[in-house]
Amino acid sequence: MSPTSVRLHRGAVVAVLAGALLAPVTAGAAPAAVPAAFTAGRPGPPGPSPSEPDVRRLSTDVARRLDASVRRVMREANVPGATVGIWTPGQPGYVHSFGVADKATGRRMTPDLYLRIGSETKTFTVTALLQLVDQGKAGLDDTIDRYVGGVPNGHRITLRQLAGMRSGLFNYSEDDGFFKALTSDPRRPFTPQQLLAYSFRHPVLFQPGRKFSYCNTNLILLGLVVEKLSGQRLGAYLKQHVLDPAGMKDTSLPSGSRFPRPHAQGYTDQTADGKVAETAGWNPSWGWAAGAMYSTLDDLRTWAPTVATGELPDGKRLISRATQRQRLVTPATPIPGVGYGLGIFDVHGWIGHNGSLPGYESLTIYLPATRTTLVVLLNTDIGQDGQEPSTLFGQAITRIISPRHVFDLPAEPAAR
């Protein structure tokens, strides 16, 4: 991994887990063979809330295996704290926090903490765009130069290609100058225009549509499009039109470094000297529409099926069925078994996204075959043997609950 990674480079599980990241389940494939506790049945009560864990937590055997597997990954990857939630309609839930939220004080990790969610932000930004497309304010095949000037190849790059990571633009978070600016003062603010400038100083990597290449620059541009079309700041639009309708009261795109309490301290080695640093006070504005949001386990439990289906908890639509169908078209990526759609991934049947930025990682995914939601929240982004911590947890957990649909992503995309 290059020193200019600053880990927003993937954020959706190698950027392929962006809410339909992986390739869709093969048509006609049989449902996953999963433990009885996860067998999909008639719709029923969603189970315990994260603040009130169900002591039964699935069957005793499955819960015991999950506990042991999570603890093993934490030990091997040196993860300070983790929270895991798993829910299937009509079945007991599994909600468990492990380790510490703050190494200095020994404060325990708990299910009610706020954590930063990195590139999961992309799923919200693209959802906002798709709502505006539904309203006829833009078309997915419009070129970006209609909305933002000065974009290299802007007369050829479409909104669809930006949302699907096929623009050919250079990823600003891989620019050496950006990395130096961020690590020299992690509390400094960045504007969207400053972020784009780091990208636009580089030539385009390929002509739009030719291949998949995860790129945060794409989402900065789409955030600006949402603002232009709506007449609102992106954070305000998301609150009014996405978060409030979904009942997600503890999720936000903050201005500056705002981070509600109680939150977990974050730990990263993405620093100028490579030493581990605490990051709760760092300014995430450098991620903006690509990765600056924070959330909670309870809210992400709501978001997983919402982003995967386009349907709100009350049965109303967040985006139209026709637009959702387009979103879930997940062309293949260089990663076997993984496709990436419009701000979401499909990884061996799991639809959603992961997130990573200094000090925090997350994974929010949904398996339509069993209507199962999985959320993982971590207070570190320090990898193990080149693997993202969230991927290690995703692999370990899904091997138990959905052995035919294992969340398995390499640490780096095969194509930049």
Side-chain angles (χ1 to χ4, degrees):
M1 183 177 298
S2 76
T4 56
S5 295
V6 196
R7 294 193 185 99
L8 243 195
H9 55 299
R10 302 182 264 301
V13 153
V14 161
V16 181
L17 235 159
L21 281 192
L22 306 196
V25 181
T26 303
V34 297
F38 286 91
T39 301
R42 295 164 58 92
S49 71
S51 59
E52 298 178 355
D54 187 322
V55 294
R56 293 172 297 162
R57 291 181 323 210
L58 314 179
S59 71
T60 301
D61 177 62
V62 173
R64 185 182 299 115
R65 291 169 61 198
L66 288 168
D67 287 350
S69 186
V70 170
R71 289 193 174 99
R72 175 185 58 77
V73 175
M74 289 184 69
R75 182 175 61 254
E76 293 175 354
N78 196 29
V79 172
T83 291
V84 176
I86 307 169
W87 304 270
T88 298
Q91 304 294 337
Y94 174 94
V95 175
H96 199 162
S97 288
F98 304 79
V100 297
D102 190 319
K103 294 193 290 186
T105 66
R107 177 166 54 96
R108 304 298 296 175
M109 196 77 162
T110 55
D112 61 336
L113 297 179
Y114 291 89
L115 286 94
R116 300 200 187 279
I117 60 172
S119 283
E120 288 197 41
T121 302
K122 294 176 172 66
T123 64
F124 294 92
T125 300
V126 174
T127 296
L129 173 70
L130 296 178
Q131 286 183 331
L132 295 165
V133 168
D134 274 341
Q135 296 167 24
K137 294 183 177 180
L140 284 172
D141 295 315
D142 292 349
T143 53
I144 187 61
D145 65 338
R146 294 183 57 176
Y147 307 101
V148 182
V151 181
N153 243 4
H155 63 297
R156 295 180 177 177
I157 298 170
T158 67
L159 303 185
R160 187 189 305 274
Q161 289 163 340
L162 291 168
M165 299 296 176
R166 290 169 171 82
S167 71
L169 294 172
F170 184 85
N171 190 354
Y172 70 85
S173 56
E174 295 182 4
D175 176 83
D176 289 338
F178 166 77
F179 182 80
K180 291 175 183 177
L182 176 63
T183 56
S184 65
D185 181 10
R187 297 175 185 269
R188 65 166 288 181
F190 288 87
T191 67
Q193 291 71 26
Q194 288 171 329
L195 300 174
L196 292 177
Y198 287 112
S199 170
F200 295 172
R201 68 177 60 173
H202 297 269
V204 297
L205 303 179
F206 52 85
Q207 289 305 305
R210 289 188 58 187
K211 59 183 180 179
F212 171 88
S213 181
Y214 194 72
C215 177
N216 296 307
T217 306
N218 297 342
L219 272 292
I220 304 302
L221 289 168
L222 292 183
L224 292 175
V225 172
V226 170
E227 292 193 333
K228 184 178 182 68
L229 294 176
S230 69
Q232 293 181 271
R233 299 295 295 270
L234 180 59
Y237 181 92
L238 291 175
K239 182 180 188 307
Q240 181 179 351
H241 298 282
V242 179
L243 301 172
D244 284 352
M248 298 173 65
K249 60 183 177 61
D250 293 321
T251 303
S252 179
L253 177 67
S255 57
S257 56
R258 180 174 178 271
F259 199 2
R261 295 182 183 275
H263 60 248
Q265 180 60 266
Y267 301 92
T268 190
D269 60 358
Q270 292 284 292
T271 55
D273 58 9
K275 294 181 179 179
V276 175
E278 297 181 344
T279 66
W282 287 19
N283 192 329
S285 62
W286 68 271
W288 193 50
M293 294 180 76
Y294 61 76
S295 189
T296 61
L297 180 71
D298 203 14
D299 273 10
L300 294 176
R301 171 191 180 183
T302 296
W303 185 238
T306 298
V307 74
T309 65
E311 184 174 304
L312 292 164
D314 62 5
K316 296 180 180 178
R317 300 293 304 177
L318 191 60
I319 61 176
S320 70
R321 295 184 187 279
T323 300
Q324 182 71 12
R325 283 195 293 270
Q326 292 190 67
R327 180 171 214 176
L328 293 176
V329 173
T330 54
T333 71
I335 305 166
V338 173
Y340 197 93
L342 301 179
I344 55 175
F345 71 86
D346 179 328
V347 179
H348 304 296
W350 285 96
I351 295 174
H353 215 289
N354 69 343
S356 180
L357 81 169
Y360 301 93
E361 290 214 345
S362 60
L363 179 61
T364 298
I365 51 179
Y366 179 78
L367 184 63
T370 56
R371 291 174 289 160
T372 297
T373 291
L374 168 61
V375 177
V376 178
L377 294 169
L378 310 173
N379 61 345
T380 184
D381 68 318
I382 301 173
Q384 181 204 29
D385 297 330
Q387 285 277 34
E388 296 278 4
S390 62
T391 295
L392 296 174
F393 284 92
Q395 289 173 340
I397 293 166
T398 56
R399 282 172 181 153
I400 295 172
I401 68 171
S402 58
R404 290 178 58 186
H405 297 275
V406 175
F407 184 86
D408 190 7
L409 278 173
E412 292 287 350
R416 306 298 292 178

